[in-house]
Amino acid sequence: MSFMTMLTKKFKLPSEDEALPGRDAAITPTEPHFVNGRSLTGPYPANTKSVLFGMGCFWGAERLFWQLPGVHVTAVGYAGGHTPNPTYHETCTGRTGHTEAVLVVYDPDQIAFADLLKVFWESHDPTQGMRQGNDTGTQYRSAIYVSSAEDLEVAERSRDAYQHALKQAGKTASITTEIRQLDTFYFAEDYHQQYLAKNPAGYCGIGGTGVACPTGLGQSA
């Protein structure tokens, strides 16, 4: 395969036929959350809800959310693609279709979905397509994957509000964030989980646009 062909594949999502075959066995974290000691895989408390966020390298993104009051647990992994039970190496080839994602399990009585969305929009640049800063490839694309039609509506409304805020700030680029209803999440390998708590000096590529996300975007129960 030529260098140019490899580069093209890095920025183009594969079709289901083009994706790597993956495997039957899932990666299952063997350790609890490094920061709060809770189970990454559940079962989660009955009153909690979940959302998946893709916003570039998942190391820094996960740290943003585990610090928020009302978040029960976080984990990193892969979502939005075709390959079943992918590995990190496979995802980085661009041939699984997945993006690096953070699973956020939260108590909606303590923190609203709209508050999580505010952190999401303000903490990365959602206009960059298949990249985030110097991190390039389909696995770094911006994404919100929700588990209900109600949350989908809230997420889309927040996107429109943030697009307006960007325009008001003089930024002309369009938001490229993929927003859809999806609950398939594949856990990443143990060493990726809560990486920046285990390695405080580790790489963090998180950086926003400098534009605040409007409040009052609506809440999901």
Side-chain angles (χ1 to χ4, degrees):
M1 183 182 295
S2 70
F3 173 75
M4 291 304 297
T5 300
M6 291 175 64
L7 193 62
T8 300
K9 286 184 176 296
K10 191 173 183 180
F11 292 95
K12 180 179 181 297
L13 287 171
S15 67
E16 188 170 0
D17 291 340
E18 295 170 329
L20 295 174
R23 58 199 47 78
D24 293 332
I27 295 171
T28 304
T30 60
E31 302 170 358
H33 197 281
F34 188 79
V35 177
N36 64 30
R38 294 169 180 157
S39 171
L40 300 187
T41 59
Y44 310 123
N47 62 317
T48 57
K49 296 181 64 175
S50 65
V51 60
L52 302 173
F53 289 123
M55 46 198 300
C57 177
F58 50 21
W59 292 345
E62 185 187 16
R63 181 169 62 181
L64 290 170
F65 293 102
W66 81 54
Q67 299 178 99
L68 298 178
V71 170
H72 174 74
V73 77
T74 58
V76 296
Y78 318 108
H82 302 297
T83 299
N85 303 307
T87 65
Y88 179 69
H89 173 74
E90 289 173 337
T91 301
C92 288
T93 67
R95 297 178 60 204
T96 71
H98 295 292
T99 190
E100 293 189 15
V102 179
L103 168 67
V104 180
V105 180
Y106 66 100
D107 182 346
D109 292 330
Q110 297 184 41
I111 186 169
F113 183 37
D115 295 327
L116 298 177
L117 288 167
K118 181 175 174 65
V119 172
F120 170 81
W121 294 119
E122 293 181 354
S123 300
H124 77 303
D125 186 343
T127 69
Q128 294 194 332
M130 301 300 182
R131 62 177 295 176
Q132 197 60 213
N134 292 327
D135 295 327
T136 58
T138 56
Q139 78 269 27
Y140 297 116
R141 71 186 185 274
S142 176
I144 304 171
Y145 301 129
V146 298
S147 56
S148 71
E150 182 181 10
D151 284 355
L152 182 65
E153 181 181 348
V154 173
E156 290 176 338
R157 192 160 63 243
S158 75
R159 174 201 57 206
D160 296 343
Y162 196 59
Q163 183 70 74
H164 180 72
L166 290 173
K167 184 177 180 180
Q168 292 296 102
K171 298 182 182 296
T172 58
S174 297
I175 289 174
T176 59
T177 303
E178 179 183 351
I179 302 176
R180 59 188 171 109
Q181 198 168 331
L182 173 76
D183 57 9
T184 303
F185 175 74
Y186 300 104
F187 287 96
E189 295 82 348
D190 272 323
Y191 71 93
H192 288 299
Q193 305 296 340
Q194 301 83 60
Y195 182 86
L196 291 181
K198 301 170 185 174
N199 303 276
Y203 169 76
C204 176
I206 287 295
T209 63
V211 178
C213 180
T215 56
L217 299 178
Q219 300 180 1
S220 106

